[in-house]
Every structure is written in C-alpha cells, then in structure tokens.
Amino acid sequence: MPIEVARQISQWGHEVDVLEPERSATRITELLRESRHDAWVLKTVSGGPGLSLLEAAAVAGRRTINKVSAIRKVRDKAVAAAVARRHDLPFPLTYFAATPDLLAAIPAEHYPLVVKPANGSCCRSVHLVRDHTELAEVRGRVSGEGFLLAQPYIANPGTDIKVYAAGENLYATVQRSPLHPEVHVRNQLITVPPGVAELVIKVGKAFGLDLYGVDLLEGPDGWMVVDVNDFPSFRCVPNAVARVSRSILRLAADRSRGREQPPSVSRRPAHAGTAI
C-alpha cells in the first residue's frame, strides 16, 4: 500500500520521496532542515522506526499525516482505551498488565477474557481465555509480547466489522474475528451499518485521526469499538490506492492553507461503492 500510494501520487505529477529507515542511516538533522515537503506520511508497523522520524518531523514544524499525537494514542492500546472512555465511546473494560503473571490478578467475574499485546497490530497474539486453567497456557504464549491488555469477552456472531476512513468517506468491510477461526466468512465490502458512521466519525474526532480504521463488533448492548488503527490496509476497498492518494493530497493541501480540521468530522460519509 505505501509504495503504491507513493507511485500513484508521483504519476499525478507530484514529487514524492520515500524514506525506508530500516534500510538506511538517516541524517535526520539535515533532512528536516532542508525539507520542503507539504506533508510527511507514516505507514509502518507498530513499534517501527518510522514513528520516531515522523515525530522528529513534527517537532521540526513539518506537517504530518496522521498527526503524531493521534498516532501515539492509537499505537499504545492502553492509552487508546483511556481516550475512548474519556470521550464516552463504547469500549470494553480494560486491564493493563506489565507482565503475563499479573493477569492472574484479574477477578474471575470478568472471564472469559480477551488477552492481547498493548502495542499489537494485525490481530497478532490475540487470545480468548475462558478460565484460569487456560490462562496458565496463554501466559506462556504471550511471554515476550511486552505489556498486555485484558478485556472481558463480548458475545458476538464471530465476525468483526472494520470501517476505513479516508478523508470524507467511510468504507465498511466484514472480516472474520481472530477469536473465532471456526467461523467461515468472506472478507468483503458492505454497506455501512446504521449508527456506525456516526460512531466512527466520533472515534476519528476523539483521536484526531485523518486516515484510520475502526474495528467494531455487535454485542448484546449494541456496537462496541474494540480497536483503532492509524493508516490501515484499506483491505477490500475498491480502488484503495487512488482513494487514499487523493485523501493525502487533500489533507496536505488543507494543512498548507491552515485548515487543520479533519474533513471526516464535518462531511457526510459515503456508503459502500461510492466513488470519489
């Protein structure tokens, strides 16, 4: 996705520089001093070195997409949980555990539990724990994953709804839940369910995101936000590269003119199949 987006923007006549920090030693002081870019855009895995470079660009006064402050809020899932509750978003009760052994202190009333890394991404190392017996096994699996989160499991049909936000448009997809590998579902684009558009826009506003994805599931009490990602894959979104590229150009142009409000907060979201 990031290379294809860079290629698309370049083909439209814009100058694009691609920096891969894993493959080069970057003279960051000179790079930032000499930069004349309209925007810096980060696409990297959680914990990747790109975030440090993006933060350096931000403190040097460069425009970034997404904003560094927003990325930090979602990359640390413990912080994301606090932000969600602060803004009254429907979000599970969340425990933070610095080590796997501390998971045993969570009261039995909250079982079954969902255990996952605090800096996780791409559904990595997400486990459903039904009781303390299973917890002993899972503790070994998550050893080495860093800080952990634990949340009461929310009964659901075994599928997640992932909504991608690109500028003023929203695209909803249905995907198999990592907790229910036995459920067979074809990942595909769907119409944004009723009430979800408003919730996703509220999430973007709470975190200050421009390009983002929201994982939701429908539980007994309605829609629940279970994860938020900056610059997601936009999987199943038709013409995703072109759509994301246009959004980046619009955001860069808006910020160069001093308009910092994310368009997704104020404009009507599109349903599945709407073209930009």
Side-chain angles (χ1 to χ4, degrees):
M1 170 64 78
I3 298 300
E4 290 301 317
V5 167
R7 184 178 294 116
Q8 178 66 83
I9 293 176
S10 180
Q11 289 175 352
W12 287 339
H14 301 274
E15 294 185 22
V16 179
D17 294 317
V18 177
L19 175 60
E20 298 181 78
E22 300 94 340
R23 300 185 180 184
S24 63
T26 306
R27 298 177 62 182
I28 191 65
T29 48
E30 283 72 12
L31 179 64
L32 295 176
R33 184 168 59 221
E34 298 168 1
S35 171
R36 296 295 182 268
H37 300 86
D38 293 308
W40 286 57
V41 185
L42 173 69
K43 180 67 171 93
T44 187
V45 297
S46 182
L51 185 54
S52 292
L53 297 185
L54 193 77
E55 190 156 28
V59 299
R62 308 304 177 190
R63 302 178 188 92
T64 67
I65 302 172
N66 291 287
K67 294 180 182 178
V68 169
S69 59
I71 295 174
R72 289 289 187 187
K73 289 176 184 176
V74 297
R75 293 283 175 104
D76 188 327
K77 305 303 181 183
V79 176
V83 172
R85 282 302 179 97
R86 170 67 178 81
H87 290 273
D88 296 322
L89 298 172
F91 198 88
L93 171 72
T94 303
Y95 279 88
F96 175 87
T99 67
D101 289 343
L102 292 174
L103 294 171
I106 297 175
E109 65 194 65
H110 295 311
Y111 282 75
L113 286 175
V114 177
V115 176
K116 56 187 176 181
N119 68 341
S121 61
C122 302
C123 299
R124 186 189 84 245
S125 198
V126 179
H127 301 279
L128 178 61
V129 183
R130 295 176 178 81
D131 51 39
H132 278 91
T133 301
E134 288 191 1
L135 179 61
E137 180 183 350
V138 169
R139 286 208 308 254
R141 294 181 183 178
V142 297
S143 178
E145 290 285 357
F147 303 144
L148 302 167
L149 300 183
Q151 301 166 328
Y153 170 77
I154 299 168
N156 66 89
T159 58
D160 292 345
I161 300 297
K162 192 174 188 76
V163 182
Y164 299 107
E168 73 253 28
N169 293 300
L170 302 181
Y171 307 93
T173 64
V174 59
Q175 301 181 16
R176 185 176 64 184
S177 167
L179 301 177
H180 294 283
E182 76 283 358
V183 176
H184 298 286
V185 60
R186 182 169 66 91
N187 294 349
Q188 59 182 316
L189 197 70
I190 62 172
T191 300
V192 179
V196 167
E198 293 77 8
L199 176 55
V200 171
I201 290 173
K202 187 177 180 181
V203 169
K205 187 174 182 179
F207 286 88
L209 291 161
D210 301 309
L211 297 173
Y212 62 100
V214 181
D215 290 356
L216 307 106
L217 56 81
E218 191 171 19
D221 298 322
W223 290 104
M224 182 76 68
V225 176
V226 292
D227 199 10
V228 183
N229 306 109
D230 65 282
F231 206 144
S233 66
F234 291 90
R235 183 186 307 168
C236 299
V237 175
N239 303 314
V241 170
R243 294 176 192 274
V244 173
S245 299
R246 291 192 183 102
S247 295
I248 289 173
L249 292 177
R250 282 198 297 266
L251 289 164
D254 286 347
R255 291 188 180 177
S256 68
R257 291 191 290 265
R259 296 203 300 267
E260 291 291 340
Q261 184 179 18
S264 58
V265 173
S266 57
R267 302 182 188 177
R268 186 166 60 95
H271 291 280
T274 300
I276 297 179

